[in-house]
C-alpha cells in the first residue's frame, strides 16, 4: 500500500511539473502574440508607404497602353525577406529578375542573396 501511495505521489508531482511547463509556454506564447500585434502597426504603415509609391508610379505610365516617345527605363523593385525562416521567399522573388531592368533590392538579407545570384542592385 505504501508503494502505491508513493507511486501516486510521484505521479501527482510529475503532473504538477508538467502544468508548470505548460504555464510557462503559455506565458511565452502570450508575449509573442503581443509583440506580433505591435509589429502589425509597423507593417500597416509600411504597406501605406508602398501603396502610395505604387500609386505615384502608375500615374507615370501611359494610360492608353502605347509606348511614348520617351526612352523606356525598366526598373524592378525586389522585395525580399528581411528575417530568417521565410522559406524560399527571396529565391522566388530573385527568380523573376528581368535582365534588361535596373534592380532595387529592399532588405539587407535580400541584398546579400542578390549578390549570391550575380544580381547587382542599382
Amino acid at each position: 500500500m505504501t508503494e502505491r501511495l508513493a507511486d501516486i505521489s510521484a505521479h501527482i508531482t510529475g503532473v504538477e511539473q508538467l502544468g508548470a511547463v505548460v504555464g510557462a509556454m503559455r506565458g511565452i506564447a502570450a508575449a509573442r502574440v503581443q509583440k506580433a500585434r505591435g509589429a502589425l502597426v509597423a507593417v500597416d504603415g509600411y504597406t501605406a508607404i508602398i501603396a502610395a509609391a505604387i500609386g505615384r508610379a502608375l500615374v507615370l505610365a501611359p494610360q492608353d497602353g502605347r509606348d511614348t516617345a520617351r526612352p523606356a527605363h525598366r526598373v524592378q523593385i525586389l522585395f525580399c525577406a528581411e528575417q530568417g525562416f521565410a522559406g524560399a521567399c527571396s529565391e522566388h522573388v530573385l527568380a523573376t529578375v528581368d535582365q534588361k531592368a535596373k534592380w532595387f533590392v529592399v532588405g539587407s538579407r535580400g541584398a546579400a542573396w542578390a549578390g549570391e545570384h550575380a544580381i547587382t542592385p542599382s
Side-chain angles (χ1 to χ4, degrees), residues 57-70:
L58 287 175
V59 170
L60 301 175
Q63 298 301 316
D64 58 7
R66 292 183 296 127
D67 288 337
T68 62
R70 293 182 285 172

Side-chain angles (χ1 to χ4, degrees), residues 72-90:
H73 295 284
R74 296 166 77 137
V75 174
Q76 248 185 333
I77 303 172
L78 308 171
F79 291 91
C80 298
E82 183 62 21
Q83 301 296 321
F85 304 108
C89 173
S90 295

Side-chain angles (χ1 to χ4, degrees), residues 21-42:
V21 169
V22 169
M25 291 174 70
R26 283 182 178 162
I28 291 168
R32 289 190 176 175
V33 165
Q34 285 301 104
K35 186 176 180 181
R37 285 184 179 150
L40 281 177
V41 174

Side-chain angles (χ1 to χ4, degrees), residues 46-62:
Y46 186 70
T47 301
I49 290 168
I50 297 301
I54 290 171
R56 282 187 241 138
L58 287 175
V59 170
L60 301 175

